[in-house]
């Protein structure tokens, strides 16, 4: 049996009529860039997040980078984040000219260890950039408290955590801005690249709207900016898919419960859900306890199961990592390094069939028994 890591085409087939209609509507409208379809989707997105603004952009990377610029982050500033995340989190910081300061993750959730943040704060610290890794929110209540105390900005990386929430907070509620990604493999994905920034701040939203369009405040007027716009075609597609996101997350959580139950005695470290949090299970990541991650990965792949690793190389372990003034590690990052060495992502998407789930469980347990 082959178990794919993604269900993109199945999802398209399930929504084919509506998605095709949305595409044709844009094609027939003669409005393809900064048109009414994008405007409508931005309204739906802001309403969905419960934020005052949503600004459609070309990618999740720009959805993190542009709010940082809008908030005045630049050379000489420091931003505190984690190293066990997708490269773009740090890239966004670096492209402003600021320094990324990595603190360790905590082993249960693999999110930023909030007890390690304060020791990393210096007079140069400007922002905290928590990542809601794998689909579970970082402890935003604690992070917001630290930010208030030290007068810091907070930019949330929500690329993996659309439809997640904390026990007492929503994404976007306790920060200056949230960046998310709509690249196809994310929980809410278009057929290509897109992203959006959500914020409750009028000044930030207005500045990002200018920055995404060559710094233009009005037609034919320019200051410095970029071309970072979301196409109306993507907005039309995402508008159809946004209506499904809650049901899709519910299904992901149902599959997670099946994996949890079946793998409880496997000897693998399973995902931990914070009490009261809604984990959106962008990824279902287990960790090997015997140092044999690569063997388990090879065994699953050999048996037709397309398991992957997120992320086998932490950012500070990357070649080309800009050591020196652009990056700093505070207090060591042993948990993040352990996560990189032992993580393995099992197939996780709403369109998985019961047979595929059962087969994935069977092969995983088979390997665990042989390697106990
Ligand atoms: C996907 C992702 C991004 C970047 O999104 P793009 O749309 O690919 O630019 C940033 N941060 C995290 C944690 C991601 O998973």
């Amino acid at each position: 049996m082959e178990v794919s890591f993604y269900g993109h085409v199945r999802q398209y087939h399930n929504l084919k009529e509506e998605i095709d209609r949305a595409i044709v509507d844009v094609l027939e409208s003669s409005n393809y860039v900064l048109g009414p379809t994008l405007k409508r989707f931005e309204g739906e997105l802001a309403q969905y997040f419960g934020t005052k603004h949503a600004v459609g952009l070309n990618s999740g990377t720009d959805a993190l980078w542009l709010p940082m610029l809008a908030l005045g982050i630049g050379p000489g500033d420091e931003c505190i984040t984690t190293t066990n995340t997708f490269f773009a989190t740090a890239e966004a910081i670096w492209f402003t000219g600021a320094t990324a300061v990595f603190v360790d993750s905590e082993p249960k959730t693999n999110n930023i260890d909030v007890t390690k943040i304060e020791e990393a704060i210096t007079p140069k610290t400007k922002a905290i950039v928590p990542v809601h890794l794998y689909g579970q929110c970082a402890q935003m209540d604690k992070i917001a408290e630290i930010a208030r105390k030290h007068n810091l900005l907070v930019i949330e990386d929500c690329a993996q955590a659309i439809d997640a929430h904390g026990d007492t907070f929503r994404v976007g509620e306790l920060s200056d801005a949230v960046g998310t990604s709509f690249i196809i493999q994310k929980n809410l994905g278009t057929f290509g690249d897109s992203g959006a920034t959500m914020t409750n701040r009028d000044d930030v939203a207005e500045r990002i709207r200018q920055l995404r369009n060559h710094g233009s405040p009005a037609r034919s007027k320019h200051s410095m900016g970029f071309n970072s716009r979301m196409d109306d075609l993507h907005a039309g597609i995402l508008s159809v898919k946004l209506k499904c996101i809650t049901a899709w997350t519910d299904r992901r959580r149902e599959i997670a419960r099946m994996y949890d139950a079946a793998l409880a005695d496997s000897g693998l470290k399973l995902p931990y859900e914070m009490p009261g949090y809604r984990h959106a299970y962008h990824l279902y990541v287990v960790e090997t306890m015997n140092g044999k991650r690569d063997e388990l990965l090879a065994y699953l792949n050999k048996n037709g199961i397309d398991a992957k690793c997120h992320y086998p190389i932490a950012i500070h372990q990357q070649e080309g990592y800009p050591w020196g003034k652009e990056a700093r590690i505070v207090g060591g990052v042993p948990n993040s390094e352990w996560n990189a060495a032992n993580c393995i992502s099992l197939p996780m998407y709403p369109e998985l069939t019961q047979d595929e789930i059962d087969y994935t469980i069977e092969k995983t347990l088979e390997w665990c028994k042989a390697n106990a």
Side-chain angles (χ1 to χ4, degrees):
M1 182 184 269
E2 298 282 320
V3 186
S4 162
F5 197 73
Y6 299 115
H8 306 148
V9 178
R10 286 183 191 171
Q11 190 178 79
Y12 170 54
H13 288 160
N14 289 340
L15 292 170
K16 185 170 172 15
E17 219 169 290
E18 276 185 273
I19 287 173
D20 289 357
R21 167 65 23 214
I23 291 171
V24 169
D25 282 351
V26 174
L27 295 186
E28 296 282 1
S29 77
S30 159
N31 273 300
Y32 313 119
V33 180
L34 298 181
T37 311
L38 174 60
K39 201 166 174 136
R40 191 191 67 212
F41 176 60
E42 288 177 334
E44 292 165 358
L45 204 53
Q47 187 172 36
Y48 170 78
F49 270 86
T51 50
K52 204 162 164 199
H53 306 280
V55 186
L57 299 167
N58 61 336
S59 70
T61 306
D62 286 35
L64 293 166
W65 174 51
L66 296 188
M68 289 178 192
L69 288 182
L71 287 160
I73 294 170
D77 295 332
E78 294 181 351
C79 298
I80 297 170
T81 190
T82 39
T83 177
N84 59 328
T85 169
F86 183 61
F87 196 69
T89 312
E91 222 173 8
I93 297 169
W94 286 324
F95 268 117
T96 68
T99 297
V101 176
F102 298 115
V103 301
D104 208 4
S105 48
E106 62 83 26
K108 270 181 160 172
T109 63
N110 290 307
N111 274 325
I112 191 166
D113 185 338
V114 293
T115 67
K116 302 277 166 66
I117 294 175
E118 283 197 286
E119 65 189 85
I121 295 173
T122 73
K124 290 180 172 176
T125 306
K126 190 86 182 254
I128 307 170
V129 184
V131 181
H132 305 321
L133 195 71
Y134 303 151
Q136 176 158 244
C137 289
Q139 294 178 61
M140 285 303 300
D141 45 350
K142 303 260 171 58
I143 291 166
E145 202 179 298
I146 296 167
R148 252 195 317 274
K149 189 169 146 200
H150 297 273
N151 197 22
L152 304 175
L153 300 162
V154 181
I155 298 110
E156 296 174 71
D157 182 340
C158 176
Q160 304 190 355
I162 196 156
D163 206 36
H165 61 66
D167 52 352
T168 57
F169 59 86
R170 299 177 69 170
V171 172
E173 193 182 339
L174 302 176
S175 64
D176 296 279
V178 185
T180 200
S181 167
F182 302 122
I183 192 172
I184 181 68
Q185 63 262 35
K186 297 292 155 71
N187 288 20
L188 178 63
T190 185
F191 301 102
D193 276 302
S194 276
T197 300
M198 276 59 64
T199 179
N200 287 312
R201 290 181 54 164
D202 298 341
D203 58 335
V204 173
E206 193 193 323
R207 186 70 189 123
I208 296 172
R209 282 181 202 284
Q210 295 177 3
L211 285 170
R212 73 174 171 183
N213 192 31
H214 308 288
S216 172
R219 187 154 189 88
S220 300
K221 292 195 175 171
H222 302 285
S223 56
M224 285 294 284
F226 313 93
N227 179 345
S228 300
R229 303 172 298 244
M230 180 193 290
D231 298 305
D232 278 53
L233 263 179
H234 291 308
I237 293 162
L238 288 165
S239 186
V240 171
K241 290 194 176 191
L242 181 61
K243 296 190 200 99
C244 307
I245 189 65
T246 306
W248 285 339
T249 308
D250 289 344
R251 173 65 181 155
R252 284 173 183 271
R253 292 175 57 77
E254 203 174 276
I255 296 167
R257 295 294 85 86
M258 289 187 233
Y259 280 151
D260 285 348
L263 302 176
D265 300 319
S266 64
L268 296 169
K269 183 164 160 256
L270 303 182
Y272 173 79
E273 220 175 293
M274 297 278 291
Y277 280 45
R278 177 171 167 89
H279 192 322
Y281 289 99
H282 171 57
L283 297 166
Y284 187 91
V285 176
V286 300
E287 288 161 300
T288 46
M289 301 298 286
N290 56 8
K292 296 186 184 173
R293 186 269 311 278
D294 293 344
E295 289 177 34
L296 172 55
L297 183 65
Y299 186 80
L300 293 174
N301 290 169
K302 189 183 76 186
N303 282 285
I305 298 163
D306 189 15
K308 295 185 187 296
C309 298
H310 298 83
Y311 295 91
I313 308 172
I315 294 177
H316 70 286
Q317 299 168 330
Q318 292 285 351
E319 240 176 273
Y321 161 75
W323 270 114
K325 67 180 171 52
E326 296 91 355
R328 200 153 60 75
I329 286 178
V330 173
V333 285
N335 294 327
S336 296
E337 289 177 355
W338 196 90
N339 176 227
N342 295 288
C343 63
I344 188 160
S345 311
L346 300 180
M348 167 56 85
Y349 48 94
E351 298 79 13
L352 274 175
T353 66
Q354 193 61 49
D355 282 353
E356 290 167 334
I357 297 163
D358 292 342
Y359 179 72
T360 302
I361 289 168
E362 179 196 319
K363 289 295 158 191
T364 306
L365 285 178
E366 209 169 270
W367 183 87
C368 288
K369 280 203 189 95
N371 289 274

